[in-house]
Amino acid sequence: MPLLQFEELSLYFDVLGEGTPVLLLHGLGSTGRDWESVAPRLTARHRVIIPDARGHGRSGKPPGEYGVPRFARDIAGLCDALGLTRVHVVGLSMGGMMAFQLAADRPELVRSLVIVNSGPELVARTLRRKFEFGLRLTLLKLLGPSALAKVLAPKLFPKPEQEALRQRAVEIFGANDPDAYLRATKGLLGWSVMDRLGGITCPVLVLASDRDYTPVAAKQAYVDLLPNARLQVLSDSGHASPHDQPEKVAEAVEAFLAGVEDAAEDARQPG
């Protein structure tokens, strides 16, 4: 069981395959298992590193405030400890937020980004969003992760044939430490690197599900602010696309990474 020991944190991670490094970062309240149906497709050409974020899964749950900058520093520390440079970073939801923070704080570390159903900020700019954030925090405080999981699972996987995915979501979200999950949730609210997007010059692929919580147009709006980004829509998919459309996600990530690496190889060829 690979663990990286910081002063106050044991950070769990898995490493699969060989080749150029790829980080897979999971969503809020989840674990590296978000990628279990995608990671095997990437291991033929890549060394795939899959951590559990602070407060999640098999990683430690130390006291103190959590948040995207703290999560990103942990992941940067993991990369430094493993001697990784120029890493492809793939993030789902909260993991996409961590990926943006890494690219803004440590541009020399990040070779490319794949952002899956996420964005460069989580700011409640409308009354509806403020209500949604407040409701989630209230449910979490009063009822705990297990009850919240039963609310979230049908939203993530609404189709009758997705019962197994709903049960899996209830299992994973319900297993969270209540205090750590609450601190992690609070730590996301109000976060933003929107004003730093112009400095993120690495290639970026944004994968936007057609049934995600936020519309495709919202993703396109921030894609237009990035110097080297494009958007790809995942059809018949919800927020948790690595679970409901793993083949499409894997195919998109594989093709994007191959394109980034082929372009770099072409640039190294003489005249």
Side-chain angles (χ1 to χ4, degrees):
M1 184 173 68
L3 287 169
L4 178 65
Q5 186 65 50
F6 293 102
E7 287 186 4
E8 84 290 13
L9 172 68
S10 294
L11 189 72
Y12 178 93
F13 62 99
D14 286 315
V15 180
L16 308 169
E18 296 292 338
T20 53
V22 178
L23 268 171
L24 300 181
L25 305 178
H26 65 77
L28 174 66
S30 192
T31 72
R33 289 177 62 189
D34 274 348
W35 300 104
E36 62 190 4
S37 297
V38 174
R41 283 277 298 270
L42 305 179
T43 56
R45 295 183 58 180
H46 302 285
R47 184 185 183 193
V48 180
I49 301 99
I50 315 171
D52 287 350
R54 170 187 296 253
H56 292 73
R58 293 153 289 185
S59 288
K61 300 161 182 64
E65 292 186 358
Y66 291 179
V68 181
R70 174 71 271 178
F71 293 145
R73 287 196 299 273
D74 292 340
I75 301 305
L78 171 63
C79 292
D80 292 341
L82 296 177
L84 302 178
T85 58
R86 305 289 291 158
V87 182
H88 299 293
V89 184
V90 184
L92 167 67
S93 192
M94 181 186 80
M97 298 160 70
M98 294 160 63
F100 269 123
Q101 188 77 52
L102 272 174
D105 291 346
R106 294 284 305 273
E108 81 289 351
L109 181 63
V110 178
R111 185 174 183 180
S112 74
L113 294 178
V114 180
I115 306 296
V116 186
N117 293 328
S118 187
E121 68 173 15
L122 192 63
V123 178
R125 300 191 182 279
T126 65
L127 286 175
R128 179 177 178 179
R129 290 292 277 169
K130 290 177 182 178
F131 173 78
E132 290 171 349
F133 290 171
L135 178 61
R136 182 158 180 165
L137 283 174
T138 299
L139 288 173
L140 192 52
K141 288 176 183 177
L142 295 179
L143 304 177
S146 294
L148 181 61
K150 293 174 183 176
V151 173
L152 292 178
K155 297 179 182 297
L156 290 170
F157 307 110
K159 294 184 176 184
E161 64 270 25
Q162 293 178 326
E163 177 61 24
L165 291 174
R166 286 192 290 274
Q167 291 302 318
R168 182 186 176 284
V170 169
E171 172 197 340
I172 291 175
F173 289 128
N176 276 281
D177 175 85
D179 178 62
Y181 192 10
L182 180 59
R183 283 183 286 137
T185 303
K186 287 181 175 179
L188 303 189
L189 304 181
W191 166 84
S192 177
V193 291
M194 186 71 77
D195 61 347
R196 301 173 69 184
L197 292 187
I200 298 176
T201 58
C202 67
V204 181
L205 172 65
V206 174
L207 295 179
S209 294
D210 58 358
R211 292 188 282 103
D212 190 21
Y213 301 138
T214 57
V216 171
K219 279 91 164 182
Q220 185 65 61
Y222 77 72
V223 165
D224 292 341
L225 300 176
L226 287 159
N228 188 14
R230 64 180 177 88
L231 180 123
Q232 181 174 336
V233 177
L234 298 169
S235 60
D236 191 27
S237 183
H239 186 67
S241 53
H243 298 294
D244 67 29
Q245 292 289 355
E247 295 85 3
K248 290 181 181 178
V249 172
E251 180 180 348
V253 173
E254 279 185 303
F256 174 71
L257 298 186
V260 171
E261 295 182 356
D262 289 348
E265 183 63 29
D266 290 345
R268 284 194 290 266
Q269 297 300 321

